[in-house]
CSV table of all heavy atoms in Angstrom, one decimal:
chain,number,residue,atom,x,y,z
A,159,ALA,N,15.0,12.3,-5.4
A,159,ALA,CA,14.8,13.5,-4.5
A,159,ALA,C,13.4,13.6,-4.0
A,159,ALA,O,13.4,13.9,-2.8
A,159,ALA,CB,15.1,14.7,-5.4
A,180,HIS,N,-1.2,-4.5,-18.2
A,180,HIS,CA,-1.8,-5.8,-18.5
A,180,HIS,C,-2.9,-6.1,-17.6
A,180,HIS,O,-4.2,-6.0,-17.8
A,180,HIS,CB,-0.9,-6.9,-18.8
A,180,HIS,CG,-1.6,-8.3,-18.8
A,180,HIS,ND1,-2.3,-8.7,-19.8
A,180,HIS,CD2,-1.6,-9.3,-17.8
A,180,HIS,CE1,-2.8,-10.0,-19.6
A,180,HIS,NE2,-2.3,-10.3,-18.5
A,188,GLY,N,9.7,-0.9,-13.0
A,188,GLY,CA,10.1,-2.3,-12.6
A,188,GLY,C,11.2,-2.2,-11.6
A,188,GLY,O,11.5,-1.3,-10.9
A,195,VAL,N,16.5,3.8,-6.5
A,195,VAL,CA,16.1,4.7,-5.5
A,195,VAL,C,16.2,4.1,-4.1
A,195,VAL,O,16.0,5.0,-3.2
A,195,VAL,CB,14.6,5.3,-5.8
A,195,VAL,CG1,14.7,6.0,-7.2
A,195,VAL,CG2,13.6,4.3,-5.8
A,196,ARG,N,16.3,2.9,-4.0
A,196,ARG,CA,16.4,2.4,-2.6
A,196,ARG,C,17.5,3.1,-1.7
A,196,ARG,O,17.1,3.2,-0.5
A,196,ARG,CB,16.6,0.8,-2.8
A,196,ARG,CG,16.8,0.0,-1.5
A,196,ARG,CD,15.7,-0.2,-0.6
A,196,ARG,NE,15.4,0.8,0.4
A,196,ARG,CZ,14.4,0.8,1.3
A,196,ARG,NH1,13.6,-0.3,1.4
A,196,ARG,NH2,14.1,1.8,2.0
A,215,TYR,N,8.3,-12.2,-10.9
A,215,TYR,CA,8.9,-10.9,-10.7
A,215,TYR,C,9.1,-10.8,-9.3
A,215,TYR,O,9.8,-9.8,-8.8
A,215,TYR,CB,8.1,-9.9,-11.3
A,215,TYR,CG,7.9,-9.9,-12.9
A,215,TYR,CD1,6.7,-10.6,-13.2
A,215,TYR,CD2,8.8,-9.6,-13.6
A,215,TYR,CE1,6.6,-10.8,-14.7
A,215,TYR,CE2,8.8,-9.8,-15.0
A,215,TYR,CZ,7.6,-10.3,-15.5
A,215,TYR,OH,7.5,-10.6,-16.9
A,220,ALA,N,12.2,-8.3,-4.6
A,220,ALA,CA,12.8,-8.5,-3.3
A,220,ALA,C,14.2,-8.0,-3.3
A,220,ALA,O,14.7,-7.4,-2.4
A,220,ALA,CB,12.6,-10.0,-2.9
A,232,GLU,N,-6.7,-11.3,-7.2
A,232,GLU,CA,-7.4,-11.6,-8.5
A,232,GLU,C,-6.4,-11.9,-9.6
A,232,GLU,O,-6.7,-12.3,-10.8
A,232,GLU,CB,-8.1,-10.3,-9.0
A,232,GLU,CG,-9.2,-9.8,-8.0
A,232,GLU,CD,-8.6,-8.8,-7.0
A,232,GLU,OE1,-7.3,-8.7,-7.0
A,232,GLU,OE2,-9.5,-8.3,-6.3
A,234,GLY,N,-4.1,-14.3,-10.0
A,234,GLY,CA,-3.7,-15.6,-10.3
A,234,GLY,C,-4.4,-16.6,-9.3
A,234,GLY,O,-4.9,-16.3,-8.3
A,267,LEU,N,-6.4,-16.9,3.7
A,267,LEU,CA,-4.9,-16.5,3.3
A,267,LEU,C,-4.4,-15.7,4.6
A,267,LEU,O,-3.3,-15.4,4.6
A,267,LEU,CB,-4.8,-15.7,2.1
A,267,LEU,CG,-5.2,-16.4,0.8
A,267,LEU,CD1,-5.1,-15.4,-0.4
A,267,LEU,CD2,-4.1,-17.4,0.5
A,281,PRO,N,-8.0,0.1,-9.6
A,281,PRO,CA,-6.5,0.2,-9.8
A,281,PRO,C,-6.1,0.6,-11.2
A,281,PRO,O,-6.9,0.2,-12.1
A,281,PRO,CB,-6.0,-1.2,-9.2
A,281,PRO,CG,-7.2,-2.1,-9.6
A,281,PRO,CD,-8.4,-1.4,-9.2
A,283,PHE,N,-4.6,4.0,-12.0
A,283,PHE,CA,-4.5,5.5,-12.2
A,283,PHE,C,-4.5,6.1,-10.8
A,283,PHE,O,-5.3,5.8,-9.9
A,283,PHE,CB,-5.4,6.1,-13.1
A,283,PHE,CG,-5.6,5.6,-14.4
A,283,PHE,CD1,-6.4,4.5,-14.8
A,283,PHE,CD2,-4.5,6.1,-15.5
A,283,PHE,CE1,-6.4,4.0,-16.1
A,283,PHE,CE2,-4.7,5.5,-16.6
A,283,PHE,CZ,-5.5,4.6,-17.1
A,330,ASN,N,-5.3,1.0,9.3
A,330,ASN,CA,-4.2,1.7,10.0
A,330,ASN,C,-3.1,2.2,9.1
A,330,ASN,O,-2.3,3.0,9.6
A,330,ASN,CB,-3.6,0.9,11.2
A,330,ASN,CG,-2.8,-0.2,10.7
A,330,ASN,OD1,-3.2,-1.2,10.2
A,330,ASN,ND2,-1.4,-0.2,11.1
A,333,VAL,N,-2.5,4.9,2.3
A,333,VAL,CA,-1.8,5.3,1.3
A,333,VAL,C,-2.4,6.6,0.6
A,333,VAL,O,-3.5,6.7,0.5
A,333,VAL,CB,-1.8,4.2,0.1
A,333,VAL,CG1,-1.1,4.7,-1.2
A,333,VAL,CG2,-1.1,2.8,0.6
A,347,ALA,N,5.2,18.1,4.2
A,347,ALA,CA,5.1,17.9,5.5
A,347,ALA,C,3.9,18.2,6.3
A,347,ALA,O,3.2,17.4,7.0
A,347,ALA,CB,6.3,18.6,6.3
A,363,LEU,N,-5.9,8.2,19.2
A,363,LEU,CA,-4.3,8.0,19.3
A,363,LEU,C,-3.7,9.3,19.8
A,363,LEU,O,-2.3,9.2,19.9
A,363,LEU,CB,-3.8,7.4,18.2
A,363,LEU,CG,-4.1,5.9,17.9
A,363,LEU,CD1,-3.5,5.4,16.4
A,363,LEU,CD2,-3.5,5.0,18.9
Side-chain angles (χ1 to χ4, degrees):
H180 168 68
V195 298
R196 175 69 272 192
Y215 302 97
E232 306 94 348
L267 296 172
F283 298 94
N330 72 296
V333 175
L363 285 175

